Amino acid sequence: MWDQKDGSFAIVVAEELIAIEQGVGAARAVLFQELVLRARRGRQWLALLHAAACGIEGHCILLPASSYSGKSTLAAALMATEIELYSDDFVGIEPGSLRIPPMPFPIA
């Protein structure tokens, strides 16, 4: 990802231009979505949400919200009560089963 002279950000992966976005927030969202897609290659998604997800015994709670609204802080607090973190920042929902698989990214 790099800053263009006009204030936009280009997201490039392995020399492939993925997107050009205005502003850091929009570029960050595209970058995280691309990380999720590449971390779980071959998976089909019903949706990719800007959210955290925590759960226990097969049950999950989604924490959808905008950046800097406290998703990670709340997820960390839930983890302190032995609730598992499935994903922080981006959540993939599988079609059909509506399952939310864990994402291999640390809490941000």
Side-chain angles (χ1 to χ4, degrees):
M1 186 165 78
W2 75 84
D3 186 359
Q4 305 282 319
K5 292 179 183 177
D6 66 355
S8 63
F9 290 83
I11 295 95
V12 178
V13 177
E15 299 183 20
E16 176 189 355
L17 178 63
I18 303 299
I20 297 176
E21 297 292 332
Q22 292 296 319
V24 173
R28 184 177 176 271
V30 170
L31 183 60
F32 270 109
Q33 182 174 341
E34 194 63 29
L35 285 171
V36 169
L37 291 171
R38 289 173 185 266
R40 299 293 187 164
R41 284 194 188 274
R43 277 215 164 137
Q44 296 296 314
W45 300 107
L46 174 64
L48 291 174
L49 304 175
H50 188 199
C54 295
I56 191 165
E57 298 178 13
H59 298 282
C60 183
I61 184 170
L62 288 176
L63 308 169
S66 60
S67 296
Y68 308 107
S69 61
K71 295 183 306 296
S72 298
T73 302
L74 181 54
L78 290 170
M79 288 170 57
T81 66
E82 299 184 15
I83 293 175
E84 295 179 60
L85 175 70
Y86 294 154
S87 184
D88 178 48
D89 219 28
F90 263 88
V91 173
I93 300 176
E94 294 178 338
S97 68
L98 302 179
R99 292 187 56 176
I100 297 172
M103 290 293 166
F105 307 118
I107 196 163

